[in-house]
Amino acid sequence: MLSKNMLAEMNEQIKHELFSSYLYLSMSAHFEANNLPGFARWMRLQSQEELEHALKFFDYVNDRGGKVVLQAIAQPQVEFGTAETIFEQVLEHEQFITGRINTLYALAVKEADFASQVFLNWFVNEQVEEEKNATGILETLKMIGDRSTAIYQLDRHVGKRGED
């Protein structure tokens, strides 16, 4: 059974994971509207992945006898800047989520909640990957600058996410 504190934090995390999904879907819409289908596809897949993360927490709370209490999700922004500024936001957001996961893990350690530590370990590793992916694309965008041909080529490249 989850402690009262852990249950509250897990429900809070479900909200953050759902917001992440919503945010990336909004970014996908932005890229679609700006004729960058590769970036749009990448963000849509990222949105789906974040929804899967929310559902992992949802199922875990239920498996541990807790009650899921869904919270209101804020509307994500709808206007964005360049691909570079968007991926800066992605990295910043993933770093925020990493902080949330670390807080949850620290709480699990403090409460000697070994099952939650094992569960959260997957997310600790996942956040390393999330930050690495965002950083890689961001660094490439910084090298490219505003050269439209290079952005077009990168758009096509990132659009192949999930095809391998």
Side-chain angles (χ1 to χ4, degrees), residues 10-11 22-23 33 35 55 57 59 65 89 91 96 101 109 118 126 132 140 147 161-162:
M10 293 246 174
N11 275 314
Y22 214 32
L23 175 63
N35 198 29
L55 293 174
F57 277 99
D59 292 340
Q89 286 180 268
L91 179 58
F96 168 77
I101 298 297
V109 169
V118 171
E126 177 66 10
K132 177 186 172 199
T140 302
R147 294 186 305 236
R161 177 182 178 181

Side-chain angles (χ1 to χ4, degrees), residues 5-17 20 57 71 92-108 120 123-124 127 131:
N5 286 340
M6 184 61 78
L7 178 59
E9 289 297 325
M10 293 246 174
N11 275 314
E12 181 76 12
Q13 190 62 30
I14 291 169
K15 176 184 83 171
H16 289 295
E17 298 291 345
S20 297
F57 277 99
Q71 302 172 24
E92 183 179 301
H93 183 74
E94 289 301 334
Q95 290 168 336
F96 168 77
I97 295 297
T98 297
R100 289 275 320 146
I101 298 297
N102 291 343
T103 297
L104 280 166
Y105 196 92
L107 179 59
L120 291 165
F123 285 94
V124 169
Q127 284 310 118
E131 288 187 31

